[in-house]
């Protein structure tokens, strides 16, 4: 009886080992897929910022016609800020519209955030800067309002979780899990002495 018990346990051990190896392989595959899925999300979100910069700079004919391109003397922020018609910062945004400093900050922000996020460098700084920019844009559109200052419907479909919030959450997520080493230059960036000494640059 004792011999049968030992033999039974002996036969089970190889099967358990094979199952453990299979589980480990499956876990590795899942992590690998998750890493690349988050890296792809990072690249896509970065391209949202970079495309906005390119379209506003060169007037590619999507949101910005050629005649209003930045290189042709157009003001990238004037149209958006000048048309704000709702929210607690309406008058403030109107006063910023057409200001040179507002245009430069807006465009440099779009370019810097876009390039950094796509390349996977300075993700913490980019997530912070991008979230601030998106928060200001959220305040300009102010989704909680059902009506504009004129009384017309705001056409808001969600009082809080609109695309600005989703993009900000995505920026924070890819920075939190440090996705820059996948499909990016994050590993090389992190090896730089100045980055190693200053964690906020990672």
């Amino acid at each position: 009886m004792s011999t049968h018990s030992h033999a039974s346990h002996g036969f089970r051990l190889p099967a358990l080992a094979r199952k453990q190896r299979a589980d480990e392989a499956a876990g590795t595959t899942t992590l690998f897929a998750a890493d690349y899925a988050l890296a792809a999300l990072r690249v896509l979100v970065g391209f949202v910022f970079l495309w906005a910069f390119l379209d506003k700079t060169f007037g590619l004919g999507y949101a910005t016609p050629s005649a209003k391109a930045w290189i042709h003397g157009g003001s990238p922020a004037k149209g958006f800020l000048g048309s704000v018609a709702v929210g607690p910062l309406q008058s403030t945004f109107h006063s910023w519209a057409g200001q040179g400093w507002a245009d430069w900050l807006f465009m440099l922000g779009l370019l810097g955030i876009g390039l950094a996020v796509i390349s996977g460098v300075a993700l913490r700084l980019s997530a912070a800067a991008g979230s601030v920019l998106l928060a200001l844009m959220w305040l300009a559109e102010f989704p909680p309002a059902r009506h504009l200052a004129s009384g017309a419907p705001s056409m808001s479909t969600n009082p809080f979780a609109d695309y600005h919030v989703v993009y900000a959450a995505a920026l924070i997520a890819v920075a939190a899990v440090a996705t820059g080493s996948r499909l990016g230059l994050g590993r090389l960036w992190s090896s730089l002495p100045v980055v190693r000494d200053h964690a906020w640059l990672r």
Side-chain angles (χ1 to χ4, degrees), residues 3-4 10 16-17 34 36 48 61 86-87 99 116 138 141 147 156 161 165-166 188-189 202:
T3 303
H4 174 74
L16 288 173
Y36 276 96
V48 169
V86 68
Q99 298 291 325
W138 184 88
E141 296 188 15
H147 298 89
S156 174
V165 177
V166 174
L188 177 63
W189 175 259
R202 294 177 185 171

Side-chain angles (χ1 to χ4, degrees), residues 64-79:
T64 308
S66 178
K68 294 186 177 180
W70 197 23
I71 60 171
H72 295 153
S75 172
K78 183 178 180 179

Side-chain angles (χ1 to χ4, degrees), residues 1-12:
M1 193 171 208
S2 174
T3 303
H4 174 74
S5 176
H6 284 306
S8 178
H9 284 298
F11 283 122
R12 289 177 185 172

Side-chain angles (χ1 to χ4, degrees), residues 14-185:
L16 288 173
R18 285 195 298 272
K19 184 178 184 304
Q20 183 177 0
R21 287 195 296 270
D23 289 345
E24 289 174 353
T28 300
T29 301
T30 299
L31 287 174
F32 183 81
D35 282 348
Y36 276 96
L38 285 170
L41 174 64
R42 188 199 77 232
V43 173
L44 288 172
V45 173
F47 190 67
V48 169
F49 288 86
L50 182 60
W51 176 258
F53 169 82
L54 294 173
D55 187 55
K56 291 178 183 301
T57 299
F58 301 106
L60 301 178
Y62 286 84
T64 308
S66 178
K68 294 186 177 180
W70 197 23
I71 60 171
H72 295 153
S75 172
K78 183 178 180 179
F80 178 69
L81 294 176
S83 63
V84 173
V86 68
L89 298 180
Q90 181 179 349
S91 60
T92 300
F93 288 136
H94 286 176
S95 69
W96 292 355
Q99 298 291 325
W101 64 266
D103 288 336
W104 276 96
L105 279 179
F106 181 50
M107 295 299 281
L108 290 177
L110 291 176
L111 177 62
I113 294 166
L115 290 177
V117 174
I118 289 174
S119 59
V121 304
L123 291 180
R124 295 181 182 180
L125 184 60
S126 299
S131 295
V132 170
L133 179 59
L134 288 163
L136 288 170
M137 295 174 71
W138 184 88
L139 284 168
E141 296 188 15
F142 205 63
R146 295 182 181 180
H147 298 89
L148 303 178
S150 64
S154 68
M155 306 305 289
S156 174
T157 58
N158 190 305
F160 175 70
D162 75 334
Y163 67 97
H164 299 102
V165 177
V166 174
Y167 287 154
L171 281 174
I172 293 169
V174 298
V177 298
T179 63
S181 60
R182 299 289 190 189
L183 302 177
L185 304 173

